[in-house]
Amino acid sequence: MQSRLNNQAHFFKPSNAAILFLTPENKLNTTQKELINNLCKSSSGLERALLLAREFRNLMENKLGKQLRGWIENVLRSGISEIATFANGLLRDYQSIENAISLPWSNGPVEGNVNKLKTIKRQMYGRASFELLRKRLVLKPT
């Protein structure tokens, strides 16, 4: 098992670690858990980053926007510059981000319609009129 982890670590990319750090612990397989444990043993900074990433995921999943300020303060004290840069970005528009985490509303349906419109528009670019575009988007009851 250890040799398999060493082979895996040899070809391991930092982006893969980031994905594993953000994946819920109950969705990780045994090899992935061992890999995370080995990474955390090798660096206390990685262990702190893992805890901070899991805390942020918990804030998002459980709509705990009121705890966001405390999380940002922990990040800024952590000494991990990459996550601190992210936290400073959150501070720039703090109120809207706190609302996005706390409130039950989502702009997902709107974004879905915009995406559909843009896809159809790209397919039709230069080939059809606005009338045809409208007919493809607006459903009329028959």
Side-chain angles (χ1 to χ4, degrees), residues 27-28 45-46 69-70 89 101 105 108 110 114 118 134 139:
K27 292 190 177 182
L28 295 172
L46 285 176
R69 176 84 57 191
I101 292 174
W105 301 295
V110 173
V114 169
K118 287 183 176 184
R134 186 156 48 102
L139 298 174

Side-chain angles (χ1 to χ4, degrees), residues 60-78:
M60 297 279 292
E61 287 178 345
N62 295 309
K63 302 257 182 221
L64 303 172
K66 298 295 180 197
Q67 297 176 14
L68 181 62
R69 176 84 57 191
W71 181 83
I72 291 173
E73 290 169 3
N74 287 340
V75 167
L76 296 176
R77 285 192 305 265
S78 73

Side-chain angles (χ1 to χ4, degrees), residues 10-76:
H10 180 69
F11 296 106
F12 198 70
K13 297 177 188 175
S15 58
N16 292 346
I19 291 169
L20 291 178
F21 276 30
L22 294 173
T23 302
E25 195 170 0
N26 61 349
K27 292 190 177 182
L28 295 172
N29 64 36
T30 307
T31 305
Q32 292 168 330
K33 287 179 184 178
E34 288 178 21
L35 187 56
I36 287 176
N37 287 336
N38 288 338
L39 288 170
C40 289
K41 285 178 188 173
S42 69
S43 168
S44 62
L46 285 176
E47 187 172 12
R48 281 193 308 268
L50 174 65
L51 292 174
L52 290 169
R54 287 184 175 167
E55 285 176 18
F56 186 73
R57 182 180 185 87
N58 182 49
L59 290 177
M60 297 279 292
E61 287 178 345
N62 295 309
K63 302 257 182 221
L64 303 172
K66 298 295 180 197
Q67 297 176 14
L68 181 62
R69 176 84 57 191
W71 181 83
I72 291 173
E73 290 169 3
N74 287 340
V75 167
L76 296 176

Side-chain angles (χ1 to χ4, degrees), residues 56 65 68 89-91 93-102:
F56 186 73
L68 181 62
L90 295 178
L91 283 173
D93 199 11
Y94 179 79
Q95 191 59 52
S96 63
I97 293 169
E98 182 184 4
N99 288 340
I101 292 174
S102 301

